[in-house]
Amino acid sequence: MAIKGKKKSRGSQARRRPAAAPRPTVTPRRREPWYRTTRGRLIAGALLAAIAGLVIWAVMAAQSRSDELAKEQGRLGEYTTEMRSILETVGPPAGAMTAAPVSAKDDLGSLEKDVVGWLAQLTNGQQQIQGVVTPAGEESVSAAFLQAINTYASAARSYELAGKVDGRALDDVLQLAAQQRDQAGSQWQLATDLLDKARAEAEMNASDIAVPAEAVPGTAPSGAEGGDAAGEGN
């Protein structure tokens, strides 16, 4: 007979809850580097192409500049040689004028005869410079050299006039001739400075073209053979 009030023990036969299934561990997906993506490769390729294009352009521009510089040096070298030749023509009369009489007290000597030779040489110089091919953009250089020769010629004509006057007029004419002679030297120096500026811009040494009255006939200016920074001898 069952005893009332006594609970039945479940013991080992009690029902257990089933254990929950383990949750899978989610590993975060690594993001692929941009340079491995299709878009990244396209961008990188475009950048490399642009850089290569810039390098090629820079090389071609440098080569073009080098070629143009060499041509400019050649033109200026030839022009400088021409001006040295003209200097040999203008130098003797310009130098002789420095020894001309300065006042009526001085003996005119062979002045009248000398002037004939001076004018012949100066006219030759004028014709020479008009036949010279001036480098593009340097027209002012030739104009300055020509003006200097023209002023030397004016001085020679003033000395020519001196042989036809006397007294105070002679002093005035001789002073005028001396002023014109000195002015011509200054104009020639200005022309040389302009030429040297152009040569410096072309990476060349100075022309060393002397003022005609100071030039020594039969000697080449320093730098006439070799020695220029650009490797040319003119």
Side-chain angles (χ1 to χ4, degrees):
M1 184 175 179
I3 301 175
K4 295 181 178 180
K6 189 173 181 180
K7 295 182 178 180
K8 186 176 180 180
S9 175
R10 287 181 165 183
S12 61
Q13 295 181 356
R15 182 177 294 175
R16 296 180 178 179
R17 283 185 171 186
R23 294 182 178 182
T25 303
V26 179
T27 303
R29 184 178 179 182
R30 292 184 62 185
R31 189 173 182 179
E32 191 173 11
W34 69 270
Y35 53 83
R36 289 185 179 178
T37 64
T38 301
R39 183 178 180 184
R41 291 191 181 98
L42 290 175
I43 293 175
L47 288 174
L48 288 175
I51 292 172
L54 288 173
V55 171
I56 293 173
W57 174 83
V59 171
M60 292 181 65
Q63 183 62 46
S64 177
R65 165 60 180 161
S66 177
D67 292 344
E68 184 57 35
L69 180 62
K71 292 178 181 178
E72 181 65 12
Q73 290 173 344
R75 289 190 288 265
L76 285 170
E78 292 176 2
Y79 180 78
T80 302
T81 299
E82 293 283 359
M83 294 315 303
R84 287 181 181 140
S85 177
I86 293 173
L87 174 60
E88 293 181 1
T89 301
V90 177
M97 288 184 199
T98 60
V102 296
S103 73
K105 297 178 181 179
D106 298 328
D107 182 11
L108 297 185
S110 60
L111 180 62
E112 186 174 356
K113 180 181 177 181
D114 294 338
V115 168
V116 176
W118 299 348
L119 286 172
Q121 290 174 297
L122 293 169
T123 299
N124 186 18
Q126 290 170 325
Q127 294 172 345
Q128 280 183 274
I129 196 170
Q130 290 173 352
V132 173
V133 177
T134 304
E138 307 302 334
E139 290 77 9
S140 60
V141 179
S142 287
F145 276 121
L146 179 57
Q147 182 59 42
I149 298 175
N150 290 342
T151 305
Y152 274 123
S154 295
R157 293 189 185 95
S158 294
Y159 282 119
E160 182 180 36
L161 179 60
K164 300 176 182 179
V165 298
D166 53 19
R168 182 173 183 135
L170 177 57
D171 282 338
D172 293 339
V173 171
L174 290 175
Q175 290 176 11
L176 174 62
Q179 291 172 358
Q180 292 172 323
R181 177 201 63 206
D182 294 342
Q183 182 181 7
S186 298
Q187 291 170 341
W188 185 278
Q189 183 60 61
L190 173 62
T192 302
D193 292 342
L194 291 174
L195 175 58
D196 287 343
K197 180 181 178 182
R199 288 173 62 91
E201 291 175 352
E203 300 179 9
M204 301 170 71
N205 289 344
S207 63
D208 286 338
I209 293 179
V211 174
E214 301 173 359
V216 179
T219 60
S222 60
E225 298 181 359
D228 272 355
E232 58 82 36
N234 294 313

